[in-house]
Amino acid sequence: MILDELYDVLMDRKINPKEGSYTSKLLYHQKGVNKILEKLGEECVELILAVKDGKREEIVYETADLVYHLLVLLVKLDIKLEEIWKELERRRK
Ligand SMILES: N=c1c2ncn([C@@H]3O[C@H](COP(=O)(O)OP(=O)(O)OP(=O)(O)O)[C@@H](O)[C@H]3O)c2ncn1[C@@H]1O[C@H](COP(=O)(O)O)[C@@H](O)[C@H]1O
């Protein structure tokens, strides 16, 4: 699945930081996790604005940006996707 694949790429950018990689730049920013939190906030606002605009293509694009930054946050915090899936499964009624 693309989420697992992307998560693995982002984790690799953490373990083997790459020159010119936006992901490595975010993961090793001098502001620490705060830089990723800033980006997440921005991407949330951009998604909200896209929904207000009502443009489907824009909503899809901004949602992908938000998901990517959320994955970067999980990688930064060493939280595995499986932990999120387990929590969601636990909530199923
Ligand atoms: N899915 C993404 C992805 N989605 C969004 N972005 C980046 O997220 C940024 C969001 O746009 P903004 O305009 O908010 O950011 P910006 O102005 O470039 O950044 P700031 O200086 O404001 O922080 C853009 O630079 C996008 O390129 C992504 N960057 C990388 N990926 C994936 O991550 C993998 C690793 O990429 P590298 O980061 O290049 O190693 C790639 O193969 C992709 O699959």
Side-chain angles (χ1 to χ4, degrees):
M1 193 215 196
I2 184 66
L3 279 181
D4 294 302
E5 203 182 294
L6 184 54
Y7 183 95
D8 289 347
V9 172
L10 304 184
M11 185 54 86
D12 185 59
R13 294 293 188 270
K14 183 179 181 179
I15 296 165
N16 307 299
K18 198 174 159 188
E19 187 74 34
S21 162
Y22 176 76
T23 308
S24 296
K25 197 180 88 183
L26 277 184
L27 290 169
Y28 290 100
H29 199 278
Q30 56 167 2
K31 289 186 183 172
V33 74
N34 286 329
K35 179 64 190 175
I36 301 169
L37 295 177
E38 266 175 30
K39 292 303 297 180
L40 260 183
E42 281 174 29
E43 300 305 339
C44 279
V45 171
E46 282 171 21
L47 176 57
I48 291 167
L49 294 176
V51 173
K52 300 267 184 200
D53 272 1
K55 289 184 193 139
R56 192 181 170 82
E57 206 178 312
E58 216 180 291
I59 295 167
V60 170
Y61 186 92
E62 295 302 343
T63 301
D65 264 358
L66 184 57
V67 170
Y68 160 77
H69 284 89
L70 191 54
L71 288 182
V72 175
L73 179 68
L74 294 180
V75 164
K76 175 79 180 175
L77 302 176
D78 280 320
I79 294 172
K80 292 184 172 60
L81 286 178
E82 289 69 28
E83 295 176 65
I84 312 297
W85 305 156
K86 262 192 197 158
E87 177 59 21
L88 289 172
E89 270 166 25
R90 194 188 60 79
R91 294 180 194 181
R92 285 285 291 149
K93 293 185 179 124

